[in-house]
Amino acid sequence: DRTPTPTMRANQLRLWLSSMAYVLLCAIRRIGLAGTKLERATCGTIRLGLLKIGALVTVSVRRVKLAFASTCPNAERERLKTERQQEAFKMLTAFNEGKKLPEQAPYVPVKNPKVSRSQWFDRKEIVDRMSAMRGALDAESKTARDATWQRQQQQRYALDAHSHAAVDAARQRVKLVYKPKWRNLYFNQGKEDRYVARLSGNLLERAAYVHQNREYLAGAGKPLTAREMLSFIRAPQRLQNRIAQIHEKERRGLARAEKAEGKTLTGEVWTHHKAEMNHMRDNQASERAREKVAASEQRQEVTFAQAKGELIAERENAPRPFHQTPEVEAPDKGAEPSPQPALSRADEIKRDMAEWKRRNQGKDFGHEM
């Protein structure tokens, strides 16, 4: 029945649909809900209490079965609806077979039993006590669950710290293993740089060095050609640049080897860490689920009868108030009786109500009125 659209036609269509839905709900209330608690209900009450109900729908070849929960508040209405459907089916079968129609069951209105005012207040007090008891249990279970979560979080933090320490230890071991290798590499490369620098002023020794290390200077495994060796012999700076490139390649190769070995060791640590973390999370999740189920079961143990018994015991053990009877002086026989003060209208009404309750024990004054 809302008209929030900006166009007139759309709002008119909404009103038409709302009007048709209202007519259908009125027909359902007049025909299908006669004799139930919803025979005078509003459309909103019918929509919330009859249409928006969770149920298990089972569709077979011949029928559609609706299974409602055992605690459904509309159980009486559903029972009455099922009986009427069965009666309608019997009447239709008898009419098709030409038999006499069965007599219709008498109309029995579905109404709630009357509850006195005192009973209503007693029940409300018991329900409030039951809610308070369940609230106390919920607070205790929440505190326990929070403590469990903090403990589990500390366990995860400890596992992370242990794994990081193991990774640092693995990297330190790799570093210690490759430290002498780096020392020897830098020592040999420095020695070779100094030797090649001395060859810059001696052509014959430089030619002998290039010829002797032609495969080393090639780098790709194929020895240098005569033309390439001649270029290195004629240009000392080119030979030094070639040696610097070879040294850079050797350092990069050693760094890659160190990184690969460290990655292998740390990978084993992280794989073990992942397996332990998954196992720990599964155990912690199951522990939290068990605590939740135990708290729910403990909460369900607080019943209406238990709350009522606790309330009765509390009232019985409560100290009774002590009322001291005031001393009344005996009236003087010769003195005239003192006149009674005039009662107000409110006091007269209270007096009449007290007299009525004394004569009608167990009846509700407001309900009788």
Side-chain angles (χ1 to χ4, degrees):
D1 56 350
R2 296 177 58 193
T3 56
T5 53
T7 59
M8 193 71 178
R9 291 185 177 181
N11 290 331
Q12 186 178 11
L13 179 61
R14 284 172 173 268
L15 291 176
W16 283 352
L17 295 176
S18 300
S19 301
M20 287 186 287
Y22 179 77
V23 172
L24 290 176
L25 284 178
C26 288
I28 292 174
R29 179 178 56 190
R30 184 180 66 257
I31 299 173
L33 300 178
T36 65
K37 292 187 292 185
L38 298 178
E39 60 181 353
R40 294 185 179 181
T42 61
C43 293
T45 304
I46 296 174
R47 182 173 64 251
L48 295 177
L50 185 62
L51 302 181
K52 292 185 177 181
I53 299 177
L56 179 61
V57 181
T58 305
V59 181
S60 61
V61 179
R62 297 184 179 180
R63 62 179 62 86
V64 178
K65 183 179 179 182
L66 301 177
F68 295 91
S70 59
T71 58
C72 180
N74 303 321
E76 183 67 19
R77 184 162 59 248
E78 296 298 330
R79 184 190 60 79
L80 185 60
K81 183 183 70 173
T82 304
E83 292 179 357
R84 291 184 177 181
Q85 290 177 352
Q86 294 176 356
E87 291 179 2
F89 179 75
K90 292 179 181 179
M91 293 175 65
L92 183 60
T93 304
F95 179 77
N96 293 332
E97 294 178 357
K99 297 181 181 179
K100 183 179 179 181
L101 297 178
E103 297 182 359
Q104 190 174 2
Y107 170 73
V108 179
V110 180
K111 296 183 179 180
N112 292 329
K114 295 181 180 180
V115 180
S116 63
R117 186 179 182 85
S118 60
Q119 292 177 352
W120 188 87
F121 277 109
D122 292 341
R123 179 178 178 81
K124 183 177 183 303
E125 188 175 1
I126 296 173
V127 171
D128 293 342
R129 174 58 63 89
M130 183 173 63
S131 300
M133 294 170 63
R134 289 184 174 181
L137 291 177
D138 292 341
E140 294 179 1
S141 62
K142 186 178 184 303
T143 303
R145 290 198 302 270
D146 292 342
T148 301
W149 174 258
Q150 293 294 334
R151 176 173 53 80
Q152 293 178 353
Q153 192 174 21
Q154 293 298 327
Q155 292 177 357
R156 293 193 295 271
Y157 288 162
L159 180 59
D160 290 338
H162 178 72
S163 299
H164 282 92
V167 168
D168 295 338
R171 291 173 178 173
Q172 190 67 23
R173 288 197 304 271
V174 173
K175 186 176 181 180
L176 292 176
V177 170
Y178 277 83
K179 187 175 181 179
K181 295 182 181 180
W182 281 105
R183 187 185 297 113
N184 296 331
L185 180 64
Y186 278 112
F187 177 77
N188 296 329
Q189 288 181 356
K191 184 178 179 181
E192 189 174 11
D193 288 337
R194 290 189 297 271
Y195 179 73
V196 172
R198 287 197 305 268
L199 294 177
S200 60
N202 193 335
L203 181 62
L204 295 177
E205 292 183 2
R206 188 166 62 251
Y209 175 80
V210 172
H211 182 270
Q212 184 179 1
N213 298 283
R214 57 185 180 273
E215 294 182 359
Y216 173 71
L217 293 174
K222 189 177 180 180
L224 294 174
T225 61
R227 187 173 182 177
E228 291 174 346
M229 287 190 295
L230 183 61
S231 64
F232 286 136
I233 294 171
R234 294 176 60 183
Q237 187 63 36
R238 182 178 294 180
L239 178 60
Q240 293 179 2
N241 294 338
R242 184 59 178 173
I243 292 297
Q245 293 177 0
I246 294 174
H247 289 175
E248 180 67 21
K249 187 176 180 181
E250 290 176 351
R251 289 193 295 268
R252 289 184 179 179
L254 185 60
R256 284 195 296 268
E258 181 181 4
K259 185 177 179 180
E261 187 172 352
K263 188 175 181 180
T264 302
L265 295 178
T266 55
E268 294 176 357
V269 174
W270 286 122
T271 302
H272 183 67
H273 168 80
K274 185 177 181 180
E276 288 189 356
M277 180 61 73
N278 291 335
H279 182 66
M280 180 182 295
R281 285 179 177 175
D282 294 340
N283 293 337
Q284 291 178 355
S286 60
E287 182 181 0
R288 292 195 300 272
R290 289 194 301 269
E291 286 186 354
K292 188 175 181 180
V293 171
S296 178
E297 293 177 353
Q298 189 177 7
R299 191 176 188 276
Q300 294 298 328
E301 291 178 359
V302 180
T303 58
F304 185 86
Q306 184 178 357
K308 182 179 179 181
E310 184 175 343
L311 193 61
I312 292 174
E314 182 179 343
R315 289 182 178 179
E316 290 179 352
N317 298 329
R320 298 181 180 179
F322 176 74
H323 298 285
Q324 185 176 4
T325 305
E327 296 181 359
V328 181
E329 296 181 358
D332 191 2
K333 295 182 179 180
E336 296 181 358
S338 58
Q340 296 291 335
L343 297 177
S344 62
R345 180 57 182 167
D347 294 336
E348 291 180 358
I349 293 175
K350 291 180 180 179
R351 182 192 60 189
D352 296 341
M353 289 178 63
E355 182 65 22
W356 186 90
K357 289 182 179 180
R358 186 182 60 81
R359 293 194 307 267
N360 302 273
Q361 297 290 337
K363 294 185 178 181
D364 191 354
F365 181 77
H367 181 71
E368 295 295 333
M369 291 294 293

